[in-house]
Amino acid sequence: MSLTRVLPLPTGLPWRTAATTPAQTRAVAAESRRDGSLVRINGLEKIYATKDGQTIHALKDVNLDIGETEFISIVGPSGCGKTTLLKILAGILSRSTGEVTIHGQALSGPSREIGVVFQAPVLLPWRTVLQNVLVPVEVQKRDRTRFEARARDLLAMAGLAGFENKYPNELSGGMQQRVGICRALVHNPSFLLMDEPFGALDAMTRETMNEELQRIWTESRKTVLLVTHSIPEAVYLADRVVVMTPRPGRIVDVIPVDLPRPRTLAMHNTPEFGRFVARIRAHFNSAGTLDT
Amino acid sequence: MSRTALYRFTNTVLLPVATFCVFVGGWEAIVRLAGISKIVLPPPSDIALAFWNGLLAGDFSWHLAVTMYEILAGFVVGALSGLLLGFLVALVPLAERIFYPYIVAFQTVPKVAIAPIIVIWFGYGVTSKIVITATIAFFPLLANTIMGLRATPHDQIEMLVSYTASRWQVFRMVRLKQALPYIFVGLDVAIVLSVIGAIVGEFVGAKAGLGYLILQKNFNFDMAGTFAILIILSLIGVGLHALISAAQRRIVFWIDTGGERVMGA
Ligand SMILES: Nc1ncnc2c1ncn2[C@@H]1O[C@H](COP(=O)(O)OP(=O)(O)OP(=O)(O)O)[C@@H](O)[C@H]1O
Ligand SMILES: [Mg+2]
């Protein structure tokens, strides 16, 4: 069964190892644009002011469109501004210059339609697992009884059935991270921002969670922005993989992944899959930062 | 009895009891054998007798009631005002600019040293003792409340705000919760200081209370009586501390050990 994407995904682009020539830069620019996008990021720049009076240029001229129901993976070396980009999209971090629109409207703050998975689980230690998952429901004053059933289903999906009434400090790091994922999904947001959600998981659990995420995305037609350090994971899940440079973070390549859907774990071993991985990895090699 | 049970019994019952017996017995023996004057160091048997007489004869009870009233009233008044001003300073920037310099300046003043002034202002009755106690209990709560309300990890606030939480929701759902461990540390410090405050107030000038009684007994060279009152005072301190700790364990259950301890006086 192949899923028809809402977006036309252009194919037949030549393979590139790194975007260096003007023609290649233009190709990247073309690949960052999508018609009828949910999110448009234009010339986005973020400069942090540190306490000692210095500035850190975290993001530089980031341009990206994210289509409705599209799955985007972002890879890039540590410290290149992935989390920064995610927080700006979540509406909790100001931008220095550039514009971001969601549904054609300038981004002005957090939205009920967004669910964020943070790099650290950020659970509240005085709340049980279930109460933690229900935080968005409580904050947004949604119908608690209806969403509690959903929260329990999500926890079961994440392999946490039976842990609903435990406290976070009774959970392992990977379990806490999975609670954080359930929390981001509980209010059924249409736009998911995920910051290395599976980083703390073992390979097996990670693959299961990848499959679950693909299933959730296929069934509920969400738009997903996933930051990951795992290139195979990025390829496995994404419609497009965005590669960022070391600080100041810029988008150096956007790679459409036209592998058929639904994807299976067995695809990891196909030559097509390997070519996508190799193309992304080449950027890391050329940047001198071997990661993953 | 199994080996572990025996071990536990030895550790929790036998050892403390044995230590206590050896200590008290040794004290008694030294005082009697060396013929130390009772005015210098009374034997434990005399202290026990004074303790017993004082409680049974009702000799202490009125003074005990007065001091307890001073401790509790002073504690409640001081802790509540410290708490309220702490919230104000931590949450309202204008209030911080107005009050904070004075708070810092006044905090360095040894509160015990102003006790004589307060007695002049408020008289020899219980009021002056309550004021002194409240002044002393005020600062641990103030400092800890301010610190606690500022202790919320940034990422917890980010998390809540990303789900569209309002300022009030952030306050109610995390900042207040994060402040609670600090507030309890403040309460714990304040309750112990309250006992000191009431006694110091009575030393400066009073008509009743255990502190007043200590001075009386001392004046009459009734050392056994003085020691008996000291025991009562420690029992009060231990008891009040235990009450706060019990409440702390119930309310701040997610913390295994207490927060940062700030000495306010
Ligand atoms: N609050 C901040 N104040 C100052 N500088 C910051 C702040 N947050 C991030 N930075 C800087 O911005 C840069 C990008 O940080 P960011 O967290 O976005 O990186 P990242 O790509 O998510 O890295 P990682 O993969 O390690 O999570 C880093 O160099 C960091 O030092
Ligand atoms: Mg990050």
Side-chain angles (χ1 to χ4, degrees), chain B residues 98-138:
Chain B
I98 294 174
F99 291 118
Y100 208 70
Y102 296 100
I103 292 168
V104 172
F106 196 53
Q107 187 157 20
T108 55
V109 175
K111 258 64 75 185
V112 169
I114 59 172
I117 304 174
I118 292 176
V119 171
I120 301 272
W121 284 348
F122 293 93
Y124 286 83
V126 289
T127 315
S128 59
K129 318 307 174 290
I130 293 174
V131 173
I132 292 167
T133 307
T135 317
I136 292 183
F138 172 78

mmCIF file of all heavy atoms in Angstrom, chain B residues 98-138:
data_model
loop_
_atom_site.group_PDB
_atom_site.id
_atom_site.type_symbol
_atom_site.label_atom_id
_atom_site.label_comp_id
_atom_site.label_asym_id
_atom_site.label_seq_id
_atom_site.Cartn_x
_atom_site.Cartn_y
_atom_site.Cartn_z
ATOM 1 N N ILE B 98 11.508 48.411 45.577
ATOM 2 C CA ILE B 98 11.223 49.197 46.778
ATOM 3 C C ILE B 98 11.783 48.525 48.029
ATOM 4 O O ILE B 98 12.468 49.144 48.839
ATOM 5 C CB ILE B 98 9.696 49.398 46.931
ATOM 6 C CG1 ILE B 98 9.182 50.270 45.783
ATOM 7 C CG2 ILE B 98 9.375 50.041 48.282
ATOM 8 C CD1 ILE B 98 7.678 50.411 45.752
ATOM 9 N N PHE B 99 11.492 47.228 48.193
ATOM 10 C CA PHE B 99 11.764 46.576 49.482
ATOM 11 C C PHE B 99 13.158 45.962 49.590
ATOM 12 O O PHE B 99 13.712 45.870 50.669
ATOM 13 C CB PHE B 99 10.729 45.477 49.740
ATOM 14 C CG PHE B 99 9.356 46.015 50.005
ATOM 15 C CD1 PHE B 99 8.308 45.714 49.155
ATOM 16 C CD2 PHE B 99 9.115 46.817 51.116
ATOM 17 C CE1 PHE B 99 7.035 46.212 49.394
ATOM 18 C CE2 PHE B 99 7.847 47.308 51.364
ATOM 19 C CZ PHE B 99 6.805 47.009 50.499
ATOM 20 N N TYR B 100 13.682 45.494 48.449
ATOM 21 C CA TYR B 100 14.861 44.632 48.558
ATOM 22 C C TYR B 100 16.055 45.274 49.272
ATOM 23 O O TYR B 100 16.666 44.627 50.131
ATOM 24 C CB TYR B 100 15.268 44.117 47.163
ATOM 25 C CG TYR B 100 15.963 42.791 47.235
ATOM 26 C CD1 TYR B 100 15.248 41.638 47.589
ATOM 27 C CD2 TYR B 100 17.316 42.673 46.991
ATOM 28 C CE1 TYR B 100 15.880 40.429 47.679
ATOM 29 C CE2 TYR B 100 17.947 41.448 47.085
ATOM 30 C CZ TYR B 100 17.223 40.336 47.427
ATOM 31 O OH TYR B 100 17.854 39.128 47.530
ATOM 32 N N PRO B 101 16.391 46.525 48.992
ATOM 33 C CA PRO B 101 17.537 47.124 49.696
ATOM 34 C C PRO B 101 17.350 47.105 51.212
ATOM 35 O O PRO B 101 18.286 46.803 51.952
ATOM 36 C CB PRO B 101 17.556 48.566 49.168
ATOM 37 C CG PRO B 101 16.823 48.520 47.880
ATOM 38 C CD PRO B 101 15.804 47.449 48.015
ATOM 39 N N TYR B 102 16.126 47.408 51.659
ATOM 40 C CA TYR B 102 15.871 47.424 53.103
ATOM 41 C C TYR B 102 15.943 46.022 53.687
ATOM 42 O O TYR B 102 16.425 45.813 54.802
ATOM 43 C CB TYR B 102 14.501 48.043 53.379
ATOM 44 C CG TYR B 102 14.449 49.487 52.963
ATOM 45 C CD1 TYR B 102 13.874 49.851 51.756
ATOM 46 C CD2 TYR B 102 15.013 50.481 53.762
ATOM 47 C CE1 TYR B 102 13.846 51.172 51.349
ATOM 48 C CE2 TYR B 102 14.992 51.801 53.372
ATOM 49 C CZ TYR B 102 14.408 52.147 52.164
ATOM 50 O OH TYR B 102 14.398 53.443 51.764
ATOM 51 N N ILE B 103 15.432 45.061 52.914
ATOM 52 C CA ILE B 103 15.470 43.677 53.392
ATOM 53 C C ILE B 103 16.913 43.249 53.617
ATOM 54 O O ILE B 103 17.273 42.708 54.664
ATOM 55 C CB ILE B 103 14.789 42.734 52.372
ATOM 56 C CG1 ILE B 103 13.294 43.031 52.325
ATOM 57 C CG2 ILE B 103 15.046 41.289 52.726
ATOM 58 C CD1 ILE B 103 12.581 42.362 51.165
ATOM 59 N N VAL B 104 17.748 43.522 52.614
ATOM 60 C CA VAL B 104 19.155 43.130 52.721
ATOM 61 C C VAL B 104 19.816 43.821 53.904
ATOM 62 O O VAL B 104 20.524 43.207 54.701
ATOM 63 C CB VAL B 104 19.909 43.462 51.408
ATOM 64 C CG1 VAL B 104 21.406 43.238 51.585
ATOM 65 C CG2 VAL B 104 19.377 42.617 50.270
ATOM 66 N N ALA B 105 19.541 45.118 54.054
ATOM 67 C CA ALA B 105 20.149 45.874 55.149
ATOM 68 C C ALA B 105 19.685 45.346 56.500
ATOM 69 O O ALA B 105 20.491 45.125 57.416
ATOM 70 C CB ALA B 105 19.796 47.349 55.011
ATOM 71 N N PHE B 106 18.395 45.116 56.626
ATOM 72 C CA PHE B 106 17.837 44.713 57.913
ATOM 73 C C PHE B 106 18.214 43.280 58.259
ATOM 74 O O PHE B 106 18.315 42.922 59.434
ATOM 75 C CB PHE B 106 16.313 44.866 57.872
ATOM 76 C CG PHE B 106 15.684 44.844 59.229
ATOM 77 C CD1 PHE B 106 16.120 45.707 60.233
ATOM 78 C CD2 PHE B 106 14.654 43.961 59.524
ATOM 79 C CE1 PHE B 106 15.550 45.693 61.486
ATOM 80 C CE2 PHE B 106 14.076 43.943 60.777
ATOM 81 C CZ PHE B 106 14.517 44.813 61.764
ATOM 82 N N GLN B 107 18.449 42.477 57.231
ATOM 83 C CA GLN B 107 18.761 41.076 57.474
ATOM 84 C C GLN B 107 20.080 40.921 58.221
ATOM 85 O O GLN B 107 20.271 39.971 58.977
ATOM 86 C CB GLN B 107 18.838 40.342 56.127
ATOM 87 C CG GLN B 107 18.995 38.838 56.282
ATOM 88 C CD GLN B 107 18.532 38.112 55.059
ATOM 89 O OE1 GLN B 107 18.444 38.688 53.983
ATOM 90 N NE2 GLN B 107 18.214 36.838 55.191
ATOM 91 N N THR B 108 20.992 41.874 57.993
ATOM 92 C CA THR B 108 22.302 41.749 58.632
ATOM 93 C C THR B 108 22.270 42.194 60.090
ATOM 94 O O THR B 108 23.209 41.938 60.832
ATOM 95 C CB THR B 108 23.343 42.588 57.873
ATOM 96 O OG1 THR B 108 22.858 43.931 57.803
ATOM 97 C CG2 THR B 108 23.562 42.059 56.471
ATOM 98 N N VAL B 109 21.195 42.868 60.504
ATOM 99 C CA VAL B 109 21.096 43.282 61.909
ATOM 100 C C VAL B 109 20.809 42.053 62.766
ATOM 101 O O VAL B 109 19.909 41.284 62.453
ATOM 102 C CB VAL B 109 19.948 44.300 62.084
ATOM 103 C CG1 VAL B 109 19.759 44.632 63.558
ATOM 104 C CG2 VAL B 109 20.208 45.541 61.267
ATOM 105 N N PRO B 110 21.593 41.831 63.827
ATOM 106 C CA PRO B 110 21.262 40.706 64.708
ATOM 107 C C PRO B 110 19.948 41.005 65.429
ATOM 108 O O PRO B 110 19.874 41.962 66.201
ATOM 109 C CB PRO B 110 22.436 40.651 65.684
ATOM 110 C CG PRO B 110 23.370 41.724 65.284
ATOM 111 C CD PRO B 110 22.753 42.589 64.270
ATOM 112 N N LYS B 111 18.951 40.193 65.117
ATOM 113 C CA LYS B 111 17.610 40.471 65.642
ATOM 114 C C LYS B 111 17.566 40.433 67.171
ATOM 115 O O LYS B 111 16.809 41.167 67.807
ATOM 116 C CB LYS B 111 16.607 39.476 65.062
ATOM 117 C CG LYS B 111 15.757 40.046 63.947
ATOM 118 C CD LYS B 111 16.566 40.426 62.717
ATOM 119 C CE LYS B 111 16.981 39.178 61.936
ATOM 120 N NZ LYS B 111 17.862 39.529 60.804
ATOM 121 N N VAL B 112 18.436 39.585 67.749
ATOM 122 C CA VAL B 112 18.458 39.479 69.210
ATOM 123 C C VAL B 112 18.833 40.828 69.836
ATOM 124 O O VAL B 112 18.331 41.203 70.889
ATOM 125 C CB VAL B 112 19.469 38.382 69.617
ATOM 126 C CG1 VAL B 112 19.726 38.411 71.102
ATOM 127 C CG2 VAL B 112 18.951 37.022 69.190
ATOM 128 N N ALA B 113 19.678 41.580 69.126
ATOM 129 C CA ALA B 113 20.166 42.844 69.670
ATOM 130 C C ALA B 113 19.074 43.897 69.738
ATOM 131 O O ALA B 113 19.212 44.882 70.479
ATOM 132 C CB ALA B 113 21.338 43.346 68.825
ATOM 133 N N ILE B 114 18.002 43.746 68.946
ATOM 134 C CA ILE B 114 16.963 44.760 69.017
ATOM 135 C C ILE B 114 15.861 44.380 70.000
ATOM 136 O O ILE B 114 14.910 45.139 70.196
ATOM 137 C CB ILE B 114 16.342 45.051 67.632
ATOM 138 C CG1 ILE B 114 15.727 43.781 67.036
ATOM 139 C CG2 ILE B 114 17.376 45.653 66.685
ATOM 140 C CD1 ILE B 114 14.939 44.064 65.779
ATOM 141 N N ALA B 115 16.028 43.205 70.648
ATOM 142 C CA ALA B 115 15.015 42.759 71.602
ATOM 143 C C ALA B 115 14.757 43.796 72.700
ATOM 144 O O ALA B 115 13.595 44.073 73.024
ATOM 145 C CB ALA B 115 15.415 41.406 72.189
ATOM 146 N N PRO B 116 15.797 44.413 73.296
ATOM 147 C CA PRO B 116 15.548 45.404 74.341
ATOM 148 C C PRO B 116 14.678 46.566 73.850
ATOM 149 O O PRO B 116 13.785 47.023 74.568
ATOM 150 C CB PRO B 116 16.951 45.891 74.714
ATOM 151 C CG PRO B 116 17.853 44.775 74.335
ATOM 152 C CD PRO B 116 17.249 44.146 73.131
ATOM 153 N N ILE B 117 14.924 46.998 72.607
ATOM 154 C CA ILE B 117 14.128 48.107 72.066
ATOM 155 C C ILE B 117 12.663 47.686 71.966
ATOM 156 O O ILE B 117 11.753 48.432 72.321
ATOM 157 C CB ILE B 117 14.642 48.489 70.661
ATOM 158 C CG1 ILE B 117 16.129 48.834 70.731
ATOM 159 C CG2 ILE B 117 13.826 49.631 70.090
ATOM 160 C CD1 ILE B 117 16.758 49.073 69.374
ATOM 161 N N ILE B 118 12.466 46.458 71.481
ATOM 162 C CA ILE B 118 11.092 45.994 71.292
ATOM 163 C C ILE B 118 10.364 45.883 72.620
ATOM 164 O O ILE B 118 9.180 46.191 72.731
ATOM 165 C CB ILE B 118 11.100 44.658 70.522
ATOM 166 C CG1 ILE B 118 11.572 44.911 69.092
ATOM 167 C CG2 ILE B 118 9.725 44.020 70.517
ATOM 168 C CD1 ILE B 118 11.721 43.691 68.234
ATOM 169 N N VAL B 119 11.116 45.477 73.664
ATOM 170 C CA VAL B 119 10.474 45.382 74.983
ATOM 171 C C VAL B 119 10.076 46.772 75.476
ATOM 172 O O VAL B 119 9.003 46.961 76.053
ATOM 173 C CB VAL B 119 11.404 44.672 75.998
ATOM 174 C CG1 VAL B 119 10.848 44.773 77.408
ATOM 175 C CG2 VAL B 119 11.571 43.212 75.598
ATOM 176 N N ILE B 120 10.919 47.759 75.196
ATOM 177 C CA ILE B 120 10.558 49.136 75.575
ATOM 178 C C ILE B 120 9.290 49.564 74.840
ATOM 179 O O ILE B 120 8.369 50.148 75.405
ATOM 180 C CB ILE B 120 11.703 50.119 75.216
ATOM 181 C CG1 ILE B 120 12.995 49.730 75.928
ATOM 182 C CG2 ILE B 120 11.282 51.567 75.494
ATOM 183 C CD1 ILE B 120 13.159 50.306 77.298
ATOM 184 N N TRP B 121 9.252 49.233 73.543
ATOM 185 C CA TRP B 121 8.120 49.668 72.729
ATOM 186 C C TRP B 121 6.827 48.944 73.092
ATOM 187 O O TRP B 121 5.762 49.535 73.114
ATOM 188 C CB TRP B 121 8.414 49.426 71.238
ATOM 189 C CG TRP B 121 9.351 50.431 70.650
ATOM 190 C CD1 TRP B 121 9.761 51.607 71.225
ATOM 191 C CD2 TRP B 121 9.999 50.354 69.377
ATOM 192 N NE1 TRP B 121 10.610 52.267 70.405
ATOM 193 C CE2 TRP B 121 10.791 51.519 69.236
ATOM 194 C CE3 TRP B 121 10.006 49.422 68.344
ATOM 195 C CZ2 TRP B 121 11.558 51.785 68.120
ATOM 196 C CZ3 TRP B 121 10.771 49.681 67.228
ATOM 197 C CH2 TRP B 121 11.556 50.846 67.108
ATOM 198 N N PHE B 122 6.935 47.635 73.322
ATOM 199 C CA PHE B 122 5.708 46.839 73.455
ATOM 200 C C PHE B 122 5.449 46.336 74.873
ATOM 201 O O PHE B 122 4.497 45.607 75.105
ATOM 202 C CB PHE B 122 5.733 45.647 72.481
ATOM 203 C CG PHE B 122 5.671 46.055 71.048
ATOM 204 C CD1 PHE B 122 6.825 46.247 70.311
ATOM 205 C CD2 PHE B 122 4.447 46.269 70.427
ATOM 206 C CE1 PHE B 122 6.769 46.630 68.976
ATOM 207 C CE2 PHE B 122 4.383 46.655 69.100
ATOM 208 C CZ PHE B 122 5.548 46.843 68.372
ATOM 209 N N GLY B 123 6.315 46.685 75.822
ATOM 210 C CA GLY B 123 6.050 46.354 77.206
ATOM 211 C C GLY B 123 6.533 44.981 77.621
ATOM 212 O O GLY B 123 7.130 44.248 76.832
ATOM 213 N N TYR B 124 6.248 44.661 78.885
ATOM 214 C CA TYR B 124 6.760 43.427 79.460
ATOM 215 C C TYR B 124 5.841 42.228 79.239
ATOM 216 O O TYR B 124 6.155 41.126 79.638
ATOM 217 C CB TYR B 124 7.022 43.614 80.959
ATOM 218 C CG TYR B 124 8.263 44.441 81.229
ATOM 219 C CD1 TYR B 124 8.217 45.827 81.195
ATOM 220 C CD2 TYR B 124 9.482 43.815 81.485
ATOM 221 C CE1 TYR B 124 9.347 46.587 81.408
ATOM 222 C CE2 TYR B 124 10.619 44.574 81.707
ATOM 223 C CZ TYR B 124 10.559 45.958 81.666
ATOM 224 O OH TYR B 124 11.672 46.691 81.860
ATOM 225 N N GLY B 125 4.703 42.440 78.618
ATOM 226 C CA GLY B 125 3.755 41.346 78.403
ATOM 227 C C GLY B 125 4.141 40.468 77.226
ATOM 228 O O GLY B 125 5.269 40.543 76.714
ATOM 229 N N VAL B 126 3.193 39.657 76.792
ATOM 230 C CA VAL B 126 3.486 38.713 75.719
ATOM 231 C C VAL B 126 3.689 39.403 74.371
ATOM 232 O O VAL B 126 4.399 38.883 73.515
ATOM 233 C CB VAL B 126 2.374 37.643 75.568
ATOM 234 C CG1 VAL B 126 2.395 36.678 76.736
ATOM 235 C CG2 VAL B 126 1.018 38.288 75.412
ATOM 236 N N THR B 127 3.099 40.582 74.205
ATOM 237 C CA THR B 127 3.161 41.225 72.881
ATOM 238 C C THR B 127 4.596 41.415 72.409
ATOM 239 O O THR B 127 4.938 41.097 71.267
ATOM 240 C CB THR B 127 2.446 42.593 72.910
ATOM 241 O OG1 THR B 127 1.214 42.429 73.598
ATOM 242 C CG2 THR B 127 2.200 43.105 71.512
ATOM 243 N N SER B 128 5.444 41.935 73.296
ATOM 244 C CA SER B 128 6.830 42.183 72.883
ATOM 245 C C SER B 128 7.521 40.878 72.490
ATOM 246 O O SER B 128 8.315 40.841 71.551
ATOM 247 C CB SER B 128 7.599 42.876 73.999
ATOM 248 O OG SER B 128 7.601 42.074 75.168
ATOM 249 N N LYS B 129 7.217 39.789 73.180
ATOM 250 C CA LYS B 129 7.837 38.491 72.848
ATOM 251 C C LYS B 129 7.360 38.006 71.490
ATOM 252 O O LYS B 129 8.135 37.459 70.701
ATOM 253 C CB LYS B 129 7.501 37.431 73.906
ATOM 254 C CG LYS B 129 7.570 37.906 75.347
ATOM 255 C CD LYS B 129 8.892 38.554 75.694
ATOM 256 C CE LYS B 129 8.881 39.154 77.092
ATOM 257 N NZ LYS B 129 8.022 40.362 77.233
ATOM 258 N N ILE B 130 6.077 38.235 71.223
ATOM 259 C CA ILE B 130 5.548 37.825 69.921
ATOM 260 C C ILE B 130 6.216 38.623 68.807
ATOM 261 O O ILE B 130 6.595 38.080 67.765
ATOM 262 C CB ILE B 130 4.004 37.994 69.884
ATOM 263 C CG1 ILE B 130 3.371 37.008 70.860
ATOM 264 C CG2 ILE B 130 3.460 37.789 68.479
ATOM 265 C CD1 ILE B 130 1.874 37.172 71.014
ATOM 266 N N VAL B 131 6.412 39.917 69.061
ATOM 267 C CA VAL B 131 7.045 40.757 68.039
ATOM 268 C C VAL B 131 8.482 40.308 67.793
ATOM 269 O O VAL B 131 8.922 40.170 66.643
ATOM 270 C CB VAL B 131 6.997 42.245 68.443
ATOM 271 C CG1 VAL B 131 7.813 43.100 67.469
ATOM 272 C CG2 VAL B 131 5.563 42.729 68.496
ATOM 273 N N ILE B 132 9.222 40.047 68.878
ATOM 274 C CA ILE B 132 10.617 39.596 68.719
ATOM 275 C C ILE B 132 10.661 38.274 67.953
ATOM 276 O O ILE B 132 11.429 38.105 67.001
ATOM 277 C CB ILE B 132 11.289 39.443 70.104
ATOM 278 C CG1 ILE B 132 11.457 40.820 70.751
ATOM 279 C CG2 ILE B 132 12.643 38.743 69.969
ATOM 280 C CD1 ILE B 132 11.803 40.758 72.228
ATOM 281 N N THR B 133 9.823 37.332 68.367
ATOM 282 C CA THR B 133 9.779 36.031 67.698
ATOM 283 C C THR B 133 9.415 36.184 66.223
ATOM 284 O O THR B 133 10.037 35.565 65.346
ATOM 285 C CB THR B 133 8.752 35.119 68.398
ATOM 286 O OG1 THR B 133 9.055 35.072 69.788
ATOM 287 C CG2 THR B 133 8.796 33.727 67.825
ATOM 288 N N ALA B 134 8.431 37.030 65.962
ATOM 289 C CA ALA B 134 7.996 37.221 64.570
ATOM 290 C C ALA B 134 9.121 37.810 63.730
ATOM 291 O O ALA B 134 9.340 37.398 62.589
ATOM 292 C CB ALA B 134 6.762 38.119 64.532
ATOM 293 N N THR B 135 9.853 38.769 64.305
ATOM 294 C CA THR B 135 10.964 39.387 63.569
ATOM 295 C C THR B 135 12.002 38.338 63.197
ATOM 296 O O THR B 135 12.565 38.354 62.100
ATOM 297 C CB THR B 135 11.642 40.475 64.427
ATOM 298 O OG1 THR B 135 10.620 41.236 65.067
ATOM 299 C CG2 THR B 135 12.505 41.374 63.596
ATOM 300 N N ILE B 136 12.246 37.425 64.143
ATOM 301 C CA ILE B 136 13.263 36.409 63.886
ATOM 302 C C ILE B 136 12.770 35.360 62.888
ATOM 303 O O ILE B 136 13.523 34.892 62.042
ATOM 304 C CB ILE B 136 13.694 35.753 65.223
ATOM 305 C CG1 ILE B 136 14.451 36.799 66.058
ATOM 306 C CG2 ILE B 136 14.569 34.547 64.972
ATOM 307 C CD1 ILE B 136 14.988 36.254 67.362
ATOM 308 N N ALA B 137 11.479 35.011 62.969
ATOM 309 C CA ALA B 137 10.939 33.974 62.082
ATOM 310 C C ALA B 137 10.699 34.506 60.676
ATOM 311 O O ALA B 137 10.569 33.739 59.723
ATOM 312 C CB ALA B 137 9.630 33.420 62.653
ATOM 313 N N PHE B 138 10.649 35.816 60.553
ATOM 314 C CA PHE B 138 10.301 36.470 59.290
ATOM 315 C C PHE B 138 11.327 36.210 58.184
ATOM 316 O O PHE B 138 10.978 35.824 57.071
ATOM 317 C CB PHE B 138 10.172 37.968 59.580
ATOM 318 C CG PHE B 138 9.993 38.841 58.389
ATOM 319 C CD1 PHE B 138 8.757 38.944 57.761
ATOM 320 C CD2 PHE B 138 11.051 39.591 57.895
ATOM 321 C CE1 PHE B 138 8.589 39.772 56.678
ATOM 322 C CE2 PHE B 138 10.882 40.423 56.808
ATOM 323 C CZ PHE B 138 9.647 40.513 56.200
#
